[in-house]
Amino acid sequence: MPWMEIANNLPLMIESHQLRVRVDEMPLLSCHLLKGHREQYLAHLLLSFITMGYVWQEGEKNIPKVLPRNLALPFVEVSQNLGLPPILVHSDFVLSNWKKKDPDGPLEIRNLDIIVSLPGGESLKGFILVTLLVEKAAVPGIKALTQAINAVLQSSEDELLQALKQMRTSVVDMIKALRQMHDYVDPAIFYAVIRIFLSGWKDNPAIPEGLIYEGVSEEPLKYSGGSAAQSTVFHAFDELLGVCHSKESTAFLHRMREYMPPSHRAFIEEIHSAPSLREYILSSGSCLLREAYNQCVMALAELRSCHINIVAKYVLTGATKAKDGGLSPLPGTPQALAARGTGGTAVFNFLKSVRDTTMEGIIKQCD
């Protein structure tokens, strides 16, 4: 399988400047023989990584204006089948991109590996797997979220209390998982090497007009790069707790939902259309429920503060260290997204705003 062959050797091909040559020689394959959603997702994973490598092989110099048809056509085809955009998204990068070394062993970092890689070595692998562990830690919280909605529908305060406590524990575990980033990812390598490969062609000064997908569109198409804002988990918790972000942040977050699998988008919509948890707690008059709700909100704000600290370390400190040079296989350290997230936002203003509006969700305690 040519896609698999190329995807298995991406770091080497990019570093030796051979990837574009290999892709240009690749046969045009159709996706109609792919069976079931697992094969479709694997195809999206492979083609998205190959695409990022193809576009950013030379860093911010010599960016191609056109994605060749033998890559663009199957990528767009499989993307349409899955309801995803034809670019690397969070569900490719993290949710579809892991395997256990020992199939019977635990879902822990020492027993995990990634399926497809890009330049960045152990730091890239760590970045993907730590993010996966954050998603894993969220699982009990997502289950508790559905229990909370059912408890509101059945007016069961005891069950709601238990669900909120479980949700808070889950968010605290997500914070612990996220802090492992410091152990597994080198800031200078993240900034100088990894970051550009997650960058998109929308709101990116390095590629302002977008990218032509040959055989798909005469006009350039614009898609945002990979971003933690594409993780369903944060959106789900915000919707349940009734957290209201600024107009600008909300617009960006809603746009990021278009980069999620359709079933994830539908799940968030479902939570949004459920009766308001916040209103239920306010009208219940229960001090215990208020306290449990506030604990969830504070934990979510703490998770966002932890994310801010990590971004500060990996973007600001990473930039300083990367200036010393010599880390990247690409010519020059990427500058276009210097203070922006890979999704194209002014990253600090956005993260701080979202954290602060989370804290504003706190309900005044009983006297």
Side-chain angles (χ1 to χ4, degrees), residues 112-340:
L112 289 170
D113 206 348
I114 55 177
I115 298 171
V116 201
S117 193
L118 283 162
E122 286 297 304
S123 282
L124 179 83
K125 179 174 148 184
F127 182 60
I128 293 170
L129 293 178
V130 169
T131 309
L132 177 71
L133 293 182
V134 175
E135 295 275 345
K136 178 198 166 192
V139 170
I142 294 292
K143 289 179 176 171
L145 178 155
T146 60
Q147 287 158 0
I149 291 173
N150 288 331
V152 169
L153 289 168
Q154 289 156 12
S155 294
S156 170
E157 290 193 11
D158 289 349
E159 279 179 36
L160 181 53
L161 197 58
Q162 289 314 309
L164 289 171
K165 284 179 177 172
Q166 175 60 69
M167 189 168 146
R168 179 191 172 270
T169 303
S170 179
V171 177
V172 169
D173 288 341
M174 289 169 72
I175 296 168
K176 287 180 194 155
L178 185 55
R179 287 197 175 123
Q180 292 183 75
M181 204 63 86
H182 301 290
D183 305 325
Y184 290 97
V185 185
D186 179 324
I189 290 177
F190 177 78
Y191 189 85
V193 184
I194 297 170
R195 211 162 162 256
I196 192 167
F197 291 102
L198 306 181
S199 305
W201 25 99
K202 182 184 173 82
D203 303 328
N204 184 349
I207 187 165
E209 62 285 348
L211 186 68
I212 293 170
Y213 287 66
E214 190 184 18
V216 176
S217 164
E218 302 280 315
E219 292 300 308
L221 303 175
K222 294 184 178 185
Y223 294 103
S224 298
S227 164
Q230 295 169 2
S231 167
T232 312
V233 171
F234 289 97
H235 294 252
F237 290 154
D238 277 347
E239 287 290 357
L240 179 77
L241 297 169
V243 173
C244 295
H245 298 300
S246 73
K247 194 174 162 193
E248 200 181 357
S249 297
T250 300
F252 173 70
L253 286 165
H254 277 248
R255 208 179 78 218
M256 288 297 103
R257 292 182 185 180
E258 295 161 24
Y259 292 75
M260 295 175 184
S263 55
H264 289 214
R265 284 201 293 274
F267 181 66
I268 296 166
E269 284 301 316
E270 196 74 21
I271 301 164
H272 180 75
S273 59
S276 164
L277 169 71
R278 190 183 165 84
E279 292 303 319
Y280 177 82
I281 289 173
L282 283 168
S283 61
S284 75
S286 161
C287 298
L288 282 173
L289 282 180
R290 279 190 186 205
E291 175 59 22
Y293 172 89
N294 285 345
Q295 291 285 336
C296 285
V297 172
M298 286 189 285
L300 193 56
E302 172 69 17
L303 177 60
R304 289 187 154 130
S305 292
C306 181
H307 189 199
I308 291 168
N309 293 339
I310 283 173
V311 171
K313 175 176 172 177
Y314 286 91
V315 174
L316 297 184
T317 322
T320 310
K321 288 185 177 172
K323 282 199 179 83
D324 302 339
L327 286 166
S328 176
L330 310 174
T333 299
Q335 295 305 321
L337 288 172
R340 298 181 84 74

